[in-house]
């Protein structure tokens, strides 16, 4: 059974950094897609970053390019989201999502949401000004 668990959220001041972690278990196959999404109260869910765990192809939303970095550690079954230069508008619940044996997709599909089979429970990120 596939399980995703997020951690690393918290409260920081604008300009600060956080690193989110997604622990993945039960996922088989060598080429999978893991992504981070976020949802703020009253707003739609937004794809933030995604990575193919077999070849490290990564995709980012325009709103986080240059500030966020998604990486993986296959040996530990972990995917990370390093978030730097945080802004108040980054405040949201952040979710990890995964798709096994993912086919090639466009950036729009990777960050779109409906393609993912599995979702974590989320971790809260709050950025104060």
């Amino acid at each position: 059974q596939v399980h995703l668990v997020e951690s690393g959220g918290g409260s920081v001041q604008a300009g600060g950094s956080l690193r989110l972690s997604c622990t993945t278990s039960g996922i088989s196959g060598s080429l999978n897609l893991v992504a981070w999404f976020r949802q703020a109260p009253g707003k739609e869910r937004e794809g933030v970053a995604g990575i193919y765990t077999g070849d490290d192809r990564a995709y980012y939303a325009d709103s986080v390019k240059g500030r966020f970095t998604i990486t993986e550690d296959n040996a530990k079954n972990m995917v990370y989201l390093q978030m730097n230069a945080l802004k108040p508008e980054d405040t949201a619940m952040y979710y990890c999502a995964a798709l096994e044996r993912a086919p090639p997709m466009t950036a729009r599909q990777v960050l779109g949401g409906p393609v993912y089979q599995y979702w974590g429970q989320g971790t809260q990120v709050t950025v104060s000004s």
Side-chain angles (χ1 to χ4, degrees):
Q1 188 173 356
V2 175
H3 237 62
L4 304 179
V5 179
E6 303 94 336
S7 61
S11 298
V12 295
Q13 290 193 326
S17 298
L18 283 173
R19 188 178 80 156
L20 304 184
S21 299
C22 175
T23 303
T24 67
S25 61
I27 293 181
S28 61
S30 60
L31 188 63
N32 304 297
L33 183 60
V34 180
W36 287 95
F37 289 80
R38 65 186 182 186
Q39 189 165 22
K43 294 188 177 181
E44 291 189 357
R45 184 180 61 195
E46 175 189 20
V48 175
I51 187 168
Y52 280 89
T53 59
D55 61 13
D56 288 345
R57 278 175 288 160
Y59 303 83
Y60 296 94
D62 288 342
S63 58
V64 306
K65 278 180 183 175
R67 300 189 299 122
F68 290 12
T69 304
I70 187 170
T71 57
E72 57 158 336
D73 184 335
N74 272 333
K76 297 182 179 179
N77 294 323
M78 301 284 289
V79 173
Y80 305 100
L81 185 68
Q82 178 67 43
M83 306 186 295
N84 298 328
L86 283 162
K87 305 174 181 180
E89 50 263 44
D90 294 318
T91 295
M93 184 71 79
Y94 282 70
Y95 299 91
C96 179
L99 174 64
E100 292 183 282
R101 294 178 289 280
M105 288 188 282
T106 65
R108 185 172 183 172
Q109 290 172 309
V110 169
L111 300 177
V115 301
Y116 293 91
Q117 296 167 291
Y118 310 108
W119 293 81
Q121 294 299 307
T123 185
Q124 177 68 38
V125 172
T126 302
V127 184
S128 58
S129 57

